[in-house]
Amino acid sequence: MRKSILLVVCAMIAGITTANAQGTLPRKVENPTICDMEGNQTKLPHWGEKNLLIFYVDPDSYIGKNANKDFSSEIEENKRASGPNIYGFGIINTADTKLPKGLVRNMARKRCEKNGALSLDDQDHSLVDGWGLGSCDGKFAILVISKDGELVYAQKEELTPEGKKAFYDFIEAYK
C-alpha cells in the first residue's frame, strides 16, 4: 500500500515537473561542457557517481525577490536534500543576464567562499540547449539528474508551498 501511494506521489510530481520543462521526464541527458568561475571548460562534477541537485540561475532573477532563491537557502540550511548519494551545486546562466559577467562571477565566488558550495557558469546555453529546457531567461530553475544521467526533475517556475512539500517528498529517493 505504501509503495502504491509513493508511486502515485511520484507520478503527480512528474506531472508537475513535466509542465515546466520541454519534453517528458524522466529523459536521458548528456554531461555538458560548461565553465568554472575562471572561464575554464569543465564537465559537471560527480556525473554518473551521484544524483545531482542543480540550481540553475539567471542572475537577474537572483537579485530580485524569487521564492526559489529563498527555497535554495532553506534547502542549504535544513539539509533535507542532503545525503551520501546526492551532490548539490549552482550553475549561473550568464548567457541571459544583463549584468556584467565579471560582477556576476565575483558575486558567485563570494557566495561560494561563504557556504563552501560549487558554482559553475553556462555562458552559451550549453545546458539549456543540450537538455531541451526551453528558455531559462529570468528563471531560477531547480533540476535533478539521476546517477543514470536522466533529468528526473525540472522546475523553472517559483515553487508554491505545496510544490516545496512535493519536492522534499520527491528528493528522498535520491539522497
Side-chain angles (χ1 to χ4, degrees):
M1 180 70 171
R2 286 186 99 201
K3 198 171 196 176
S4 297
I5 292 170
L6 182 59
L7 289 174
V8 170
V9 169
C10 287
M12 288 171 45
I13 292 168
I16 292 167
T17 60
T18 301
N20 291 296
Q22 292 185 346
T24 58
L25 298 180
R27 68 172 177 267
K28 199 79 160 156
V29 293
E30 299 295 320
N31 189 351
T33 299
I34 58 174
C35 294
D36 63 19
M37 285 296 106
E38 282 70 46
N40 302 310
Q41 289 193 338
T42 189
K43 294 282 195 174
L44 301 187
H46 301 289
W47 187 270
E49 300 166 7
K50 293 186 177 215
N51 301 302
L52 305 177
L53 171 59
I54 301 169
F55 299 103
Y56 188 81
V57 182
D58 178 339
D60 302 330
S61 76
Y62 190 81
I63 288 173
K65 176 73 173 133
N66 184 296
N68 288 349
K69 172 181 142 184
D70 295 340
F71 186 53
S72 72
S73 295
E74 176 183 317
I75 291 170
E76 185 180 317
E77 291 171 17
N78 69 24
K79 311 245 186 275
R80 286 185 59 191
S82 298
N85 294 314
I86 194 162
Y87 182 75
F89 60 100
I91 299 177
I92 301 170
N93 173 8
T94 58
D96 287 329
T97 188
K98 295 158 191 64
L99 299 168
K101 289 177 184 26
L103 173 67
V104 168
R105 288 188 193 111
N106 190 38
M107 287 170 35
R109 277 189 213 97
K110 286 181 180 177
R111 177 149 167 77
C112 290
E113 287 171 7
K114 177 182 171 190
N115 66 10
L118 172 69
S119 191
L120 299 173
D121 184 0
D122 186 6
Q123 301 175 356
D124 60 3
H125 292 140
S126 293
L127 189 142
V128 169
D129 295 341
W131 292 357
L133 297 177
S135 175
C136 288
D137 189 8
K139 303 291 183 182
F140 189 117
I142 300 171
L143 311 169
V144 178
I145 308 297
S146 72
K147 289 183 202 180
D148 299 324
E150 289 185 321
L151 177 63
V152 295
Y153 183 92
Q155 178 61 267
K156 296 190 301 186
E157 303 307 321
E158 291 185 27
L159 287 168
T160 63
E162 296 81 18
K164 291 176 185 180
K165 182 184 179 326
F167 173 81
Y168 282 131
D169 292 342
F170 175 83
I171 203 67
E172 281 298 315
Y174 294 92
K175 296 183 349 181

